[in-house]
Amino acid sequence: MVFEKIDRSSWKRNEYFEHYFTNIPCTYSMTVKLDITQIKKKRMKLYPAMLYYLATIVNRHSEFRTAINQEGELGIYDEMIPSYTIFHKDTETFSNLWTPYIPDFEAFSMAYANDMQRYGSNYGMIGKPDVPENVFNVSMMPWSTFDGFNLNLQKGYDYLIPIFTMGKYYRDDEKIILPLAIQVHHAVCDGFHICRFVNELQELINS
């Protein structure tokens, strides 16, 4: 994992970062309806498939890898890793696991399955220890669909990494639709960037 510090004096986004991080701190969320028909047609397991697709697009664009590290420095990770929640029915609580991103889908799916087998029965918020600093968060609420979802983070104005929340999928005519909420920081991500993310994500799912 490499963290490349940003030189604010020559950074093309510095004016926008200063405006939306310091002058008028601003985060926002966008909820979209993804067509996951191809995932279901191929009988792929939904959660690992979506984790892989999300991580692929996150790692494609620097605005989704920009962060403030543990030393308080602004920079860009060369790679981001999905950290995701799993639910324990008996206690009605969740735990966080993480799986290294592997560009090959089959290899990633195998790594996910290994993590689920090894850590999936662990209780507590951190189900898999030694969480790396270059993770982005994904969660799923498979009990209900939604048209809008927003996280209210007390310290959200200092958090630059995107957060993804999925809901219950449903059928719409011949399509199967999955709601996805994306929370981002305006200091590093404009409407153009989040729309490009969604479009590329849908293209990847379709392919």
Side-chain angles (χ1 to χ4, degrees):
M1 183 270 297
V2 176
F3 184 79
E4 182 179 352
K5 289 189 288 186
I6 292 174
D7 180 2
R8 295 277 302 273
S9 65
S10 60
W11 189 31
K12 64 181 180 181
R13 190 165 180 86
N14 188 60
E15 177 184 2
Y16 306 93
F17 181 86
E18 185 67 21
H19 183 71
Y20 288 118
F21 188 83
T22 304
N23 298 337
I24 306 177
C26 178
T27 66
Y28 66 97
S29 63
M30 177 177 176
T31 301
V32 298
K33 298 177 180 179
L34 291 175
D35 180 356
I36 60 164
T37 307
Q38 289 302 316
I39 294 177
K40 303 304 289 184
K41 277 186 176 180
K42 296 174 183 176
R43 300 184 182 277
M44 301 164 69
K45 290 186 176 181
L46 180 60
Y47 207 17
M50 286 303 303
L51 291 173
Y52 172 81
Y53 291 141
L54 289 169
T56 297
I57 307 301
V58 163
N59 282 303
R60 189 179 291 177
H61 299 291
S62 63
E63 61 266 17
F64 298 104
R65 293 181 280 109
T66 304
I68 297 173
N69 68 5
Q70 296 173 349
E71 284 72 43
E73 301 166 320
L74 176 67
I76 302 173
Y77 290 109
D78 67 328
E79 181 182 72
M80 296 295 288
I81 294 170
S83 172
Y84 49 95
T85 57
I86 59 168
F87 186 68
H88 305 293
K89 292 182 180 179
D90 55 340
T91 60
E92 297 183 354
T93 60
F94 69 89
S95 298
N96 286 294
L97 306 185
W98 56 274
T99 298
Y101 174 67
I102 305 172
D104 179 75
F105 175 71
E106 295 300 331
F108 176 83
S109 297
M110 186 175 297
Y112 167 86
N114 290 338
D115 282 332
M116 286 293 293
Q117 182 177 19
R118 184 173 180 182
Y119 303 104
S121 299
N122 290 354
Y123 290 82
M125 289 193 68
I126 306 301
K128 181 181 177 181
D130 304 319
V131 183
E133 63 180 73
N134 58 323
V135 295
F136 68 94
N137 292 298
V138 183
S139 62
M140 188 166 194
M141 301 187 299
W143 310 282
S144 179
T145 189
F146 53 75
D147 292 319
F149 180 88
N150 185 67
L151 290 166
N152 301 300
L153 305 174
Q154 183 180 10
K155 298 181 180 179
Y157 295 129
D158 296 328
Y159 190 78
L160 303 179
I161 299 172
I163 303 173
F164 302 93
T165 307
M166 294 176 281
K168 181 181 181 179
Y169 65 83
Y170 61 94
R171 185 172 293 277
D172 183 11
D173 291 330
E174 299 300 315
K175 295 181 180 180
I176 300 175
I177 303 298
L178 176 75
L180 171 69
I182 308 172
Q183 187 115 352
V184 295
H185 202 302
H186 207 343
V188 295
C189 184
D190 299 327
F192 165 80
H193 302 106
I194 196 171
C195 290
R196 177 172 64 184
F197 183 97
V198 172
N199 291 336
E200 291 186 4
L201 178 62
Q202 185 64 71
E203 290 173 3
L204 190 59
I205 293 171
N206 291 345
S207 65

